[in-house]
Amino acid sequence: MFDSKWIQVFIFVCLFPSSMQAQNFGGSPPRIKWKQINSSKSRVIFPAGLDSQANRIHNIVALLDSTTANTIAGKTRKWNIVLHTQTTTSNAYVRMAPILSEFYMMPDQNNFAQGSMRWDDNLVVHENRHMQQLSNFNNGLTKVFSFLLGQEGQLLANGIVIPNYFFEGDAVWQETLVTAQGRGRFPNFYNGFKSLWLAKKEYSWMKLRSGSYRDYTPDHYPLGYMLVAYGNAAYADDFWKKVTQDAVRFKGVFYPFNKAIERYSGKTYKQFREAAFTFFKAQSFPSAGSRIDQLSFITKTQKHNVIDYMYPTFISDDSILVTRRSYNSLNEFCLLINGKEKRIRIMNKTLDHYYSYSHGKIVYASYQSDPRWGNRDYSAIQLVDIKTGKQKQLISKSKYFSPDINKNATEIIAVQVNPDGTNYLHRINANNGKLLLALPNPNNYFFTQIKYLDDSTAISAIRDPGGKMALVKVDLNSGETENITPFTFDVLGYPFIHGDSIYFNMMNGYADKVFVVSMTTKKINQVTNNNNGIYYPVMNSRGEMLVSAFTSEGLRIARIEQATVSLGPISSSDFVQVLDLYTPAALKGKASGALYEVRESKITATKYKKSFQFFNFHSWRPVFADPEYGYSLRGDNILGNFSNNLAYTYNRNEQSHTLGYSAVFAGWLPVVNVGIEGTVNRNVNVSERISAATTLTMPVNFNSARLVAGLSVPLSFVGGRTNKFFNIGASYNAEQLYYKGIGKNVFTNEPVHYLSSFLSFSNVSQQARQHVNPRWAQTFFASYRHAFNFRDSRKFIGSAAFYFPGLSRNHSIVLQGAYQKRDTLPDLFSNTFSYSRGYSALTTRRMYKLAANYQLPVLYPELGVGNIVFLQRIRANGFFDYTAAHARLNGNLTDIINRSTGAEIFFDTKLWNALPVSFIVRYSHLLDRDLVNPGAKNKWEIILPVGFIPN
């Protein structure tokens, strides 16, 4: 009997995207001097000056491989770990093809999301678990994938059988197990699911897995953690080892991962996940009889739209400044006045929505890309006038975070983070952006969310090198600090100064709550007892407190009337406790707190040669494009600036063999690409006109050789309210034909040389989740190709598109135009002109096209089938196309008009609950005669996205 698991494999192989690139190709400037810490355990590659961090990362990898790898099957392998220090992004990832992990070394400013552990520890503890996973997920049938496809084969097989929620949930478990923090200990991590439970919203499993365009759903990190943590708490510590090993061996007729859970838990998969949710839900709220704050919300909700109001600030007792974002609108500064909202300005692209206000001015840090190097970007300070909405950039190409502006709006203080991880407080002139004073930081604290107390003193949340947090008073002349609260592993932040008191957020029990500390007595009192996270406390002169509360409709502004009445003092022992949420017994098992046993052994760093593993062939792909069949080998170097491909194909029609090699190098300002290709034994039938009445068709046999070399300069200007992209390039192509047999008597071995050049530009506004297109955008593209020694053939094509808002917020109008001009000889070049939809595309000496589109969302079905396809949204696009072509027909110059109208239906789906794919069904009604298919009047097409079927 046919095993149905092969249906799953077949579907996934056919639908799996051909590219899973996570790396910024050519992202690092060439002037970086790379070094390495190299041993049998790992190779840590880093810019000069990061020796200490690199050694620590290497030592932690070795420690964890010896203490935690056994819970995922025990195998380890050597990974390449690249440290990037010039980006403002706080992130990391592990990839399998090639074997590589990249750490972006900029610490996150959001204490509650990522914790206060030193950032390199956070990264390596989490990413090392992914290294362990992939080191052990190449067994059984997965090895067949690896044999046939290389490292991409294992990645493909793992993607089929291991859900993404397990990868991330298991890595968060390792964070929580081996450190005193980890997201599994943070109340913030559970806010999303708790908000759904409080609102009694019970979404389907596939909706929770795939997400929604209109309702809030938590991502796969907390979902995965709850399932993994429940498995570790309820079953033996080898539970997930057995589950994943069965899965990668494809044991089970269908969904081997789910079947393995059933096999080792004794529950159905549905029962298992429901038991996990019940386990966490039962422990997520205060016990019966406890006082729970009743919040009085002052911001409204919208049906099928999630709105976040953050960082409330009193302008007056009745006017509140906030940042606002939603699923159908962009991030903006907004005033709330007597229940009404007034937009001030759309924010530039930011990594953190944190801002400060004083004396009519808003100050915040915005993201800016480097035009050429993707691994280098900046955080610039912006100053906004609240009355006019006008914005002024004070400093560019800087790395400033958490800025605060003083009472008179004359000075700004901000955190400056350096490439080596050190950070300092900078005092900056608010009028011209000049640096006034850089304060010393002898204790190597990491400052976040700093606030002026007066012109010479500030309050800041800090993290010490060991990962503990405290509130401190900072002398703005000497840099000296004085503790206001004791150090604790409990995360705290968002201080607000009110008289002699500082209100702040801190994790406590099962929620992030509000506390207050007296600067005089240093006594700490609990202010709120909320059952889900509330943030950014502020107070007005009447003693009213505002917070931003996490709900299933988004972050909402709420008023707490009795903010000055506290729940009582917090003892020092309570303040510094380490909380083991939900699974304390499992978190005290083997490897608990292992991070603190790391040995600080040092390996001398050596120079990393940029040519190391330069070609690095790691994967191979079959070619099935009838009549051509073959295999291609793909290689990428570790630094991510060289990619190459070696391919062999056999053409069964021509019975020819082709061997080709192509490479792209992006380590310089221009990107360089080269390619060579040789074909032998090509056989084609050629028609040769002997006389007016006689045409001879004869077989011609020849070999060919082809060379391509090109340059391009891709530039990105990401930041502001729009993102701009520019690319210009050219390539030289030469093809030499070598005729054999009878062909030598008819044709000459004349080479073909042609030049291909292009230019593209786009200016695209920011786009909200529900927007079907950017509301404002302009794109331009032009190409020119010229075969200068073969018939003097040439072709120019230009196109443009303009995007405008439609009648409703999520609607879109797109106007398009295209123009082509070429020589009158038979077209030598490929046809890339966008012809009227529905017609058989012509290519003539001169032609142009105009098109109008109106696109809108129609329906949000949110229906899934068998955990394979989840239909999130259906969109419709009505169009009208007009193409005018000037061509010679039957010896006469003729103007051809081809008009069409019709509609396109877009089905926005998630495949395997993870891969976004849109299918298109198009109906075209032809208003004019199709010269190729004269009888055609109506045409239906099904269109798959580019990259949907692998090469």
Side-chain angles (χ1 to χ4, degrees):
M1 183 177 178
F2 185 77
D3 193 338
S4 61
K5 71 184 178 184
W6 292 107
I7 299 175
Q8 181 187 15
V9 174
F10 174 78
I11 291 173
F12 197 88
V13 170
C14 290
L15 304 186
F16 201 73
S18 59
S19 176
M20 292 170 285
Q21 185 90 352
Q23 201 170 21
N24 283 323
F25 183 63
S28 298
R31 288 182 291 181
I32 294 179
K33 305 300 182 184
W34 295 98
K35 300 175 70 176
Q36 65 176 347
I37 298 293
N38 186 25
S39 75
S40 60
K41 301 296 183 181
S42 63
R43 176 182 288 106
V44 184
I45 305 163
F46 58 96
L50 242 65
D51 300 56
S52 175
Q53 293 95 319
N55 259 293
R56 183 171 176 83
I57 288 170
H58 169 270
N59 292 332
I60 293 174
V61 168
L63 170 71
L64 295 178
D65 281 353
S66 66
T67 56
T68 64
N70 63 300
T71 61
I72 203 71
K75 293 181 182 178
T76 61
R77 69 183 304 171
K78 182 175 179 177
W79 287 81
N80 299 296
I81 303 172
V82 182
L83 312 184
H84 294 292
T85 61
Q86 299 197 22
T87 177
T88 59
T89 304
S90 304
N91 208 348
Y93 73 90
V94 171
R95 62 184 299 189
M96 187 68 209
I99 295 172
L100 170 68
S101 182
E102 291 193 303
F103 292 4
Y104 302 106
M105 300 293 285
M106 176 64 67
D108 197 332
Q109 289 284 312
N110 186 341
N111 303 316
F112 292 91
Q114 298 293 342
S116 58
M117 299 292 298
R118 55 181 290 175
W119 183 241
D120 48 358
D121 286 5
N122 257 333
L123 294 179
V124 68
V125 168
H126 183 94
E127 302 305 327
N128 170 260
R129 190 56 169 182
H130 292 319
M131 300 173 197
Q132 293 176 359
Q133 292 162 348
L134 293 172
S135 297
N136 287 280
F137 289 173
N138 191 31
N139 296 309
L141 187 59
T142 297
K143 282 190 174 181
V144 178
F145 281 77
S146 299
F147 175 78
L148 295 174
L149 302 172
Q151 292 173 9
E152 283 185 349
Q154 181 189 334
L155 194 61
L156 173 59
N158 291 169
I160 294 172
V161 296
I162 306 292
N164 62 349
Y165 73 73
F166 174 80
F167 278 104
E168 298 303 344
D170 184 49
V172 174
W173 174 263
Q174 175 149 296
E175 295 175 23
T176 312
L177 175 68
V178 305
T179 77
Q181 288 195 347
R183 278 169 281 186
R185 303 182 196 271
F186 298 163
N188 176 277
F189 191 59
Y190 306 96
N191 280 343
F193 276 97
K194 288 174 66 177
S195 72
L196 299 185
W197 295 334
L198 286 167
K200 295 180 170 54
K201 294 188 175 182
E202 298 182 359
Y203 296 141
S204 69
W205 170 248
M206 288 197 70
K207 181 170 178 175
L208 288 175
R209 288 283 288 113
S210 300
S212 171
Y213 280 105
R214 58 180 187 169
D215 298 317
Y216 170 76
T217 55
D219 65 27
H220 57 286
Y221 282 75
L223 183 149
Y225 179 78
M226 286 192 291
L227 296 184
V228 169
Y230 172 73
N232 285 325
Y235 303 96
D237 59 6
D238 63 348
F239 176 77
W240 290 112
K241 175 171 68 176
K242 292 186 291 188
V243 167
T244 54
Q245 286 303 301
D246 279 11
V248 298
R249 288 176 166 84
F250 286 75
K251 289 186 178 181
V253 293
F254 205 44
Y255 302 112
F257 184 84
N258 300 358
K259 292 299 182 182
I261 287 178
E262 294 177 355
R263 188 176 302 118
Y264 296 111
S265 71
K267 297 182 174 72
T268 67
Y269 179 60
K270 181 179 180 180
Q271 289 172 339
F272 178 86
R273 64 178 192 249
E274 288 180 349
F277 289 156
T278 300
F279 176 82
F280 276 83
K281 183 178 180 180
Q283 303 178 67
S284 290
F285 304 106
S287 59
S290 300
R291 168 197 149 176
I292 303 298
D293 294 328
Q294 299 301 313
L295 303 177
S296 175
F297 293 107
I298 65 173
T299 54
K300 299 178 181 179
T301 62
Q302 291 181 8
K303 187 176 182 180
H304 299 319
N305 184 29
V306 178
I307 310 175
D308 289 331
Y309 296 89
M310 297 177 288
Y311 302 107
T313 300
F314 280 107
I315 303 299
S316 66
D317 284 344
D318 299 309
S319 299
I320 305 160
L321 176 66
V322 296
T323 64
R324 181 190 189 278
R325 66 181 180 190
S326 79
Y327 280 10
N328 66 16
S329 63
L330 302 177
N331 303 335
E332 60 190 8
F333 291 111
C334 182
L335 275 177
L336 307 180
I337 306 174
N338 298 322
K340 296 182 179 180
E341 299 181 6
K342 177 184 177 182
R343 175 192 290 178
I344 297 174
R345 180 185 177 88
I346 293 176
M347 300 175 68
N348 285 17
K349 178 180 174 64
T350 63
L351 298 174
D352 182 3
H353 296 104
Y354 187 84
Y355 74 94
S356 174
Y357 169 82
S358 182
H359 204 64
K361 304 294 183 183
I362 299 170
V363 62
Y364 72 104
S366 70
Y367 173 88
Q368 290 181 340
S369 70
D370 183 277
R372 173 60 183 87
W373 309 110
N375 291 330
R376 183 171 69 188
D377 47 48
Y378 309 99
S379 182
I381 291 183
Q382 309 288 344
L383 192 68
V384 178
D385 188 305
I386 195 172
K387 293 181 180 179
T388 65
K390 293 183 178 180
Q391 180 172 284
K392 175 184 178 182
Q393 181 170 299
L394 291 181
I395 306 170
S396 61
K397 293 188 176 181
S398 58
K399 295 185 187 294
Y400 282 121
F401 301 90
S402 295
D404 189 48
I405 190 166
N406 69 355
K407 183 178 180 180
N408 298 319
T410 58
E411 183 179 294
I412 294 168
I413 189 166
V415 182
Q416 161 72 19
V417 184
N418 299 317
D420 63 359
T422 59
N423 76 106
Y424 300 91
L425 294 179
H426 281 194
R427 296 173 62 180
I428 302 162
N429 188 304
N431 295 314
N432 54 30
K434 291 184 178 179
L435 177 64
L436 300 175
L437 182 64
L439 301 180
N441 182 14
N443 297 312
N444 196 26
Y445 292 148
F446 189 84
F447 294 91
T448 64
Q449 300 148 7
I450 190 165
K451 290 291 183 183
Y452 278 101
L453 179 60
D454 52 46
D455 286 343
S456 61
T457 315
I459 304 298
S460 180
I462 61 165
R463 312 171 194 163
D464 73 6
K468 293 184 177 181
M469 294 202 70
L471 289 179
V472 297
K473 184 187 296 184
V474 185
D475 187 306
L476 295 182
N477 294 308
S478 66
E480 293 182 359
T481 60
E482 175 191 340
N483 274 48
I484 298 174
T485 66
F487 280 101
T488 175
F489 278 117
D490 287 343
V491 175
L492 55 81
Y494 304 120
F496 174 78
I497 302 167
H498 185 70
D500 181 57
S501 299
I502 303 173
Y503 291 82
F504 62 99
N505 278 124
M506 187 175 72
M507 56 185 280
N508 176 264
Y510 295 90
D512 295 322
K513 301 171 184 176
V514 177
F515 292 79
V516 63
V517 59
S518 167
M519 285 185 282
T520 303
T521 66
K522 306 292 178 70
K523 289 183 178 180
I524 303 169
N525 283 18
Q526 182 179 340
V527 176
T528 66
N529 193 41
N530 39 287
N531 56 11
N532 206 14
I534 60 174
Y535 303 94
Y536 330 128
V538 294
M539 293 184 66
N540 65 7
S541 61
R542 296 195 293 249
E544 298 171 329
M545 174 180 285
L546 293 182
V547 295
S548 185
F550 201 111
T551 75
S552 61
E553 289 83 20
L555 285 159
R556 300 179 64 188
I557 303 301
R559 178 179 288 112
I560 300 176
E561 303 291 347
Q562 301 295 323
T564 56
V565 179
S566 72
L567 295 174
I570 300 295
S571 67
S572 298
S573 59
D574 289 338
F575 191 81
V576 299
Q577 67 178 335
V578 175
L579 185 65
D580 292 334
L581 288 177
Y582 301 107
T583 56
L587 288 173
K588 287 182 171 62
K590 186 178 179 181
S592 175
L595 177 66
Y596 307 104
E597 300 173 6
V598 64
R599 294 182 178 180
E600 296 294 342
S601 59
K602 291 188 177 181
I603 298 177
T604 302
T606 60
K607 180 181 178 181
Y608 179 80
K609 295 181 179 179
K610 296 181 180 180
S611 59
F612 175 73
Q613 293 186 350
F614 197 62
F615 297 94
N616 195 29
F617 289 106
H618 54 75
S619 303
W620 33 95
R621 300 177 179 179
V623 176
F624 295 112
D626 189 58
E628 293 193 335
Y629 300 90
Y631 248 95
S632 65
L633 276 70
R634 178 186 171 188
D636 300 275
N637 71 332
I638 303 305
L639 290 180
N641 56 24
F642 181 74
S643 182
N644 60 140
N645 191 76
L646 179 65
Y648 163 79
T649 56
Y650 170 75
N651 187 299
R652 68 179 182 87
N653 287 348
E654 298 179 358
Q655 297 183 345
S656 62
H657 305 265
T658 300
L659 183 65
Y661 175 79
S662 61
V664 182
F665 180 67
W668 300 327
L669 175 61
V671 176
V672 182
N673 66 282
V674 296
I676 55 175
E677 183 179 273
T679 303
V680 297
N681 199 38
R682 292 192 64 180
N683 291 278
V684 296
N685 290 324
V686 177
S687 297
E688 183 71 11
R689 190 171 183 179
I690 305 301
S691 65
T694 306
T695 300
L696 177 65
T697 299
M698 56 184 172
V700 174
N701 183 264
F702 62 94
N703 301 332
S704 66
R706 183 168 174 261
L707 170 68
V708 179
L711 296 173
S712 64
V713 181
L715 302 176
S716 301
F717 302 89
V718 177
R721 291 186 288 183
T722 64
N723 300 322
K724 300 173 179 63
F725 305 93
F726 176 83
N727 197 1
I728 187 171
S731 63
Y732 172 78
N733 300 259
E735 185 168 8
Q736 176 71 57
L737 305 181
Y738 302 94
Y739 292 97
K740 302 189 295 183
I742 193 173
K744 291 193 298 185
N745 302 324
V746 180
F747 304 102
T748 60
N749 293 334
E750 182 179 1
V752 178
H753 300 269
Y754 72 89
L755 183 71
S756 177
S757 58
F758 72 91
L759 181 149
S760 67
F761 172 78
S762 61
N763 179 42
V764 183
S765 68
Q766 298 179 44
Q767 186 172 347
R769 186 185 185 94
Q770 291 182 355
H771 292 171
V772 296
N773 286 313
R775 290 173 63 79
W776 302 96
Q778 308 84 42
T779 67
F780 303 91
F781 178 80
S783 69
Y784 178 73
R785 289 170 286 180
H786 184 191
F788 41 83
N789 79 319
F790 185 79
R791 303 188 314 207
D792 198 32
S793 293
R794 61 189 73 198
K795 179 189 280 189
F796 170 82
I797 294 179
S799 62
F802 302 89
Y803 293 73
F804 303 95
L807 297 177
S808 184
R809 188 182 292 268
N810 294 327
H811 294 196
S812 175
I813 298 171
V814 184
L815 304 179
Q816 297 167 302
Y819 176 77
Q820 173 177 295
K821 183 176 177 59
R822 68 172 180 84
D823 55 80
T824 59
L825 298 168
D827 199 352
L828 179 67
F829 304 106
S830 59
N831 184 7
T832 58
F833 184 85
S834 176
Y835 207 77
S836 289
R837 281 163 276 197
Y839 288 90
S840 301
L842 303 177
T843 174
T844 69
R845 59 192 296 178
R846 187 172 69 249
M847 55 202 302
Y848 69 89
K849 174 191 172 182
L850 300 174
N853 303 265
Y854 192 95
Q855 189 174 148
L856 71 160
V858 175
L859 193 64
Y860 297 88
E862 297 188 340
L863 297 173
V865 178
N867 280 317
I868 298 175
V869 179
F870 184 74
L871 179 57
Q872 291 181 299
R873 178 175 65 182
I874 298 176
R875 295 177 280 141
N877 179 51
F879 66 84
F880 174 78
D881 289 351
Y882 177 98
T883 299
H886 193 60
R888 187 177 295 276
L889 296 178
N890 300 322
N892 299 316
L893 286 175
T894 305
D895 288 321
I896 303 167
I897 303 298
N898 281 160
R899 299 166 299 161
S900 66
T901 187
E904 296 167 323
I905 305 297
F906 294 76
F907 298 90
D908 297 327
T909 70
K910 281 285 187 71
L911 294 182
W912 260 255
N913 304 299
L915 306 173
V917 174
S918 294
F919 305 86
I920 306 172
V921 176
R922 176 188 293 164
Y923 165 74
S924 304
H925 177 66
L926 281 57
L927 302 176
D928 300 294
R929 183 169 177 262
D930 188 333
L931 296 180
V932 179
N933 298 299
K937 294 299 292 182
N938 301 290
K939 186 174 182 180
W940 289 89
E941 300 170 270
I942 297 178
I943 303 167
L944 303 181
V946 174
F948 187 66
I949 296 178
N951 296 326

